[in-house]
Amino acid sequence: MGLLDTISGPRDLRRLSDDELETLASEIRDRLIASCAPVGGHLGPNLGVVELTMAIHRVFDSPRDRVVWDTGHQAYVHKMVTGRAREFDRLRVEGGLSGYPSQAESPHDVVENSHASTALSYADGLAKAYAIRGEDRHVVAVIGDGALTGGMAWEALNNIAVANRSRLVIVVNDNGRSYTPTVGGLTTALTTLRTSPRYEQVLDVIKRRLNAVPGVGPAAYDALHAMKKGVKDAVAPQGLFEDLGLKYVGPVDGHDRAATEHALAQAKKFNGPVIVHAITRKGFGYDAAERHEADQFHQVGPFDPDSGEQDPKGTIWTNAFTDEIVRIGQRRKDVVAITAAMMHPVGLHQFQARFPERTFDVGIAEQHAATSAAGLAMGGLHPVVAIYATFLNRAFDQVLMDCALHRCGVTFVLDRAGVTGDDGASHNGMWDMSILQVVPGLRLAAPRDATRVRELLNEAVDVEDAPTVLRFPKGQPPEDIPAVDRVGRVDVLVRNGVKDVIVVAVGAMAETAVDVADRLVAQGIGVTVVDPRWVKPVDPALVELAREHRLVVSIEDNGETGGCGAVLLQTLNAAGVTTPFRLHAIPQEFLGHAKRGRILERIGLTPQAIALGIVEDVTAVTQPDAARARLDAERTV
């Protein structure tokens, strides 16, 4: 048994010698690599915070002192030293450890935080609460330089700076990257701090030399110390933080545990908010991660732990967007691209390489991305904003009031829509089609395959008088599903037998719907499967198709409340269509982490479950007396 398996909590770290702590750090890195190799995960960020995490837990007393991680993907080491190291063989596996902090797992996990730039606000509230209640407790917020590019972090800092009673230590984990190198003015400022001589070192040299001068030396030093802010600005310009009124400590080498502990201990003594600036390297200690140019294994798929070679991913939905946006850029010089610190994950890297002057990475600032896009549109360009579906939630007001109200031609491309699985509740893109339904004038497309990604993207960027949205899921797309007909703008995918059932398949659920149709035909039920392509607004042709059938079934990879099916039902009711309706969607709940297939099975979004329900519904519609008798018999039993 190694040292790591003897750690049941942070207090165990305080009994270890320096040599034992060095051994423990090595064991933690080995465990991180071994645990992530089979299933993937956020390896790079955690390799970079091993010593930093150990130092935090040796200086502060968690869970009495609260440690908040921003974002939670750098909390694997925290989980290990809080007694969960032996469970890492089931990291990000259904029933095993979450890839993010989880209140259900441990009292050491404060918030289930995986949307960036929020930790400082949580920490501000916690620290104020403890001050008001008179509790002797510290709050530590660990935030990366990438997350500091988010506006919410600066809103929090603005308030923390005047919270003089808050015993709050902000640890800036500065590795120069979020997914990829951090961008913007903040980066320049942090680089200045990172590369300047440390104020404390310079001042210590001056102190020793002046105090050695007989008579006038000590007095000269005191006078100089009184001007310490001027000296500090000259040798290590911390004005970025200190001008806000925040005490600044650092920069410190975050891989030097002893130096980091000293800096944290100094910060702990200060009865007010303090920033500790720690310099780290993502992927530290694992050559394959440090050499990986794209993202230092920020989020890696399964890989060989010895070579670092990743398993091939194959073609994914994002690839179709990556290729097509470059083609569009070549054809249209007015098309520009925006992303929020996710150039490679959303597939804009090739557009950036081809058109660097027309590509903008705004950092973790989705709100700014949306409103800046509105400005670009007002200036005669057509912006394409590519982000994960789950992160669009953060920019809803900007989509509504800044883009739609002003009828701006902005295209939003939402990657990882629907059930994403392994990353848990915060990353499932199951909210976008519901929240976007309330935006007047907005047009929403959901492609069913890679060819439709290209087709609908071209249609979207041709719209200049309203925002458009294109959304597609994570993973590999199905084989192309050809249409047998088109009615209005609606593609007919299956038309077999009499008009018993029309199945409205939204986006990626088209493959499931075609499978459902095969099962229904085998039961002697006539079925039509349609793909609306543009799900908002509802095509009038879809209303008439629904009127012609005995049962309408909608299937979508989105929350059932306020989604495409719910709006379709409202539309049918308003048009006087009385055809019975059945909606299949994601229940409005936070879904635990598991593989996408397992989640879809649990919530009933599989061909077998849907087909079974339709057979029962068709029986109820076509043979109401028999269905009623069966129900009565079931109730009797």
Side-chain angles (χ1 to χ4, degrees):
M1 178 185 292
L3 271 174
L4 181 55
D5 289 326
T6 69
I7 303 299
S8 61
R11 293 183 180 180
D12 292 335
L13 298 176
R14 297 169 205 145
R15 61 174 171 78
L16 301 179
S17 66
D18 286 345
D19 288 344
E20 288 173 321
L21 289 166
E22 188 173 337
T23 299
L24 178 62
S26 179
E27 289 184 14
I28 289 173
R29 286 195 166 87
D30 290 344
R31 185 73 57 89
L32 287 170
I33 295 166
S35 300
C36 290
V39 296
H42 289 98
L43 178 59
N46 286 282
L47 290 169
V49 296
V50 174
E51 290 82 8
L52 177 60
T53 305
M54 291 168 61
I56 289 170
H57 280 296
R58 277 171 55 84
V59 172
F60 295 93
D61 184 21
S62 177
R64 178 170 180 77
D65 292 333
R66 306 303 267 159
V67 183
V68 185
W69 298 88
D70 188 333
T71 60
H73 57 54
Q74 58 185 330
Y76 292 4
V77 184
H78 160 81
K79 291 193 175 200
M80 287 186 180
V81 299
T82 53
R84 287 168 277 178
R86 293 187 180 185
E87 301 173 60
F88 263 71
D89 59 341
R90 293 186 55 76
L91 176 68
R92 301 175 75 244
V93 174
E94 184 178 12
L97 290 177
S98 166
Y100 294 92
S102 170
Q103 292 177 339
E105 286 180 11
S106 171
H108 296 278
D109 291 1
V110 185
V111 294
E112 303 185 17
N113 179 28
S114 55
H115 282 197
S117 311
T118 60
L120 298 186
S121 296
Y122 282 119
D124 176 49
L126 281 166
K128 286 174 178 173
Y130 297 147
I132 290 170
R133 292 164 59 90
E135 298 182 25
D136 182 18
R137 304 171 72 174
H138 281 84
V139 179
V140 181
V142 185
I143 183 168
D145 57 296
L148 271 180
T149 63
M152 190 173 172
W154 290 92
E155 293 173 23
L157 284 171
N158 183 54
N159 286 273
I160 290 168
V162 295
N164 297 326
R165 296 173 57 203
S166 292
R167 305 184 73 181
L168 171 56
V169 176
I170 299 168
V171 178
V172 176
N173 173 32
D174 180 7
N175 57 28
R177 308 180 69 90
S178 47
Y179 274 82
T180 49
T182 309
V183 296
L186 172 66
T187 306
T188 303
L190 285 178
T191 300
T192 302
L193 293 176
R194 192 185 303 130
T195 57
S196 295
R198 287 181 58 192
Y199 158 72
E200 290 83 0
Q201 292 176 335
V202 174
L203 195 62
D204 185 60
V205 171
I206 295 172
K207 179 181 179 179
R208 289 200 311 269
R209 292 183 179 178
L210 285 178
N211 283 337
V213 178
V216 298
Y221 172 75
D222 289 342
L224 178 60
H225 194 263
M227 298 184 294
K228 64 180 181 178
K229 189 177 189 307
V231 175
K232 194 176 288 189
D233 286 342
V235 298
Q238 296 97 327
L240 175 68
F241 298 115
E242 289 204 335
D243 285 350
L244 285 172
L246 291 165
K247 178 69 175 176
Y248 174 93
V249 177
V252 62
D253 181 355
H255 300 300
D256 184 333
R257 180 196 50 76
T260 303
E261 281 187 30
H262 176 73
L264 291 170
Q266 291 297 108
K268 186 177 180 180
K269 293 176 183 177
F270 186 72
N271 289 319
V274 185
I275 286 182
V276 176
H277 184 186
I279 310 301
T280 63
R281 282 160 46 200
K282 186 177 287 189
F284 184 77
Y286 183 40
D287 287 344
E290 292 195 63
R291 291 196 311 267
H292 193 256
E293 292 184 8
D295 66 0
Q296 269 74 66
F297 282 11
H298 175 91
Q299 183 169 17
V300 65
F303 65 96
D304 178 80
D306 295 324
S307 67
E309 290 294 321
Q310 299 184 52
D311 293 353
K313 293 181 179 179
T315 300
I316 61 175
W317 286 87
T318 312
N319 296 146
F321 167 70
T322 298
D323 296 340
E324 195 61 30
I325 192 62
V326 172
R327 293 191 185 96
I328 291 171
Q330 291 170 338
R331 175 169 54 86
R332 286 184 48 176
K333 297 185 184 303
D334 64 320
V335 169
V336 297
I338 303 175
T339 190
M342 305 186 81
M343 192 69 68
H344 280 81
V346 299
L348 279 179
H349 52 288
Q350 291 185 15
F351 188 94
Q352 181 190 41
R354 181 69 177 81
F355 310 108
E357 74 287 352
R358 289 157 54 189
T359 309
F360 306 98
D361 185 343
V362 301
I364 301 177
E366 292 86 0
Q367 293 173 305
H368 170 68
T371 304
S372 177
L376 286 162
M378 292 173 183
L381 302 177
H382 190 104
V384 176
V385 181
I387 56 177
Y388 283 6
T390 183
F391 297 140
L392 183 73
N393 308 349
R394 316 184 78 177
F396 170 71
D397 182 66
Q398 288 69 33
V399 173
L400 176 68
M401 292 298 178
D402 301 338
C403 296
L405 177 64
H406 296 97
R407 301 175 64 86
C408 292
V410 177
T411 296
F412 293 89
V413 176
L414 308 184
D415 204 326
R416 273 68 163 178
V419 173
T420 56
D422 297 335
D423 283 329
S426 64
H427 273 55
N428 289 317
M430 56 176 280
W431 321 100
D432 56 295
M433 290 200 292
S434 295
I435 64 177
L436 292 173
Q437 291 290 351
V438 305
V439 180
L442 180 141
R443 307 178 198 183
L444 172 59
R448 66 180 180 267
D449 54 34
T451 293
R452 256 45 64 174
V453 170
R454 298 183 177 92
E455 179 182 283
L456 289 167
L457 179 62
N458 278 276
E459 293 180 23
V461 298
D462 283 342
V463 176
E464 300 296 351
D465 62 350
T468 53
V469 178
L470 181 77
R471 58 106 69 179
F472 50 80
K474 179 182 180 180
Q476 296 183 334
E479 294 292 325
D480 279 359
I481 304 171
V484 299
D485 194 9
R486 177 170 288 184
V487 181
R489 301 180 73 176
V490 176
D491 277 354
V492 180
L493 308 183
V494 175
R495 185 184 282 129
N496 197 316
V498 297
K499 296 179 179 179
D500 287 328
V501 182
I502 181 170
V503 179
V504 181
V506 175
M509 300 310 292
E511 183 180 29
T512 297
V514 171
D515 192 337
V516 167
D518 292 340
R519 295 167 187 263
L520 296 179
V521 170
Q523 295 291 318
I525 297 172
V527 61
T528 304
V529 176
V530 297
D531 168 17
R533 299 172 66 254
W534 289 92
V535 294
K536 175 180 167 34
V538 175
D539 194 309
L542 188 56
V543 175
E544 296 310 310
L545 286 168
R547 196 188 302 273
E548 297 169 0
H549 289 74
R550 292 182 171 184
L551 175 68
V552 179
V553 176
S554 72
I555 310 174
E556 65 189 284
D557 193 4
N558 181 76
E560 61 189 3
T561 302
C564 297
V567 171
L568 176 59
L569 178 57
Q570 289 177 323
T571 305
L572 296 179
N573 287 339
V577 177
T578 58
T579 309
F581 190 97
R582 178 70 69 179
L583 187 157
H584 293 273
I586 302 171
Q588 295 302 146
E589 62 184 59
F590 294 111
L591 304 173
H593 65 280
K595 292 297 181 186
R596 174 181 164 88
R598 286 285 297 125
I599 293 175
L600 294 179
E601 181 180 351
R602 181 176 69 78
I603 63 179
L605 282 182
T606 61
Q608 180 178 357
I610 294 171
L612 179 61
I614 293 174
V615 170
E616 293 176 352
D617 289 339
V618 169
T619 301
V621 170
T622 60
Q623 304 175 39
D625 293 338
R628 191 176 300 111
R630 187 183 72 250
L631 285 173
D632 290 341
E634 290 174 354
R635 288 169 183 157
T636 302
V637 173

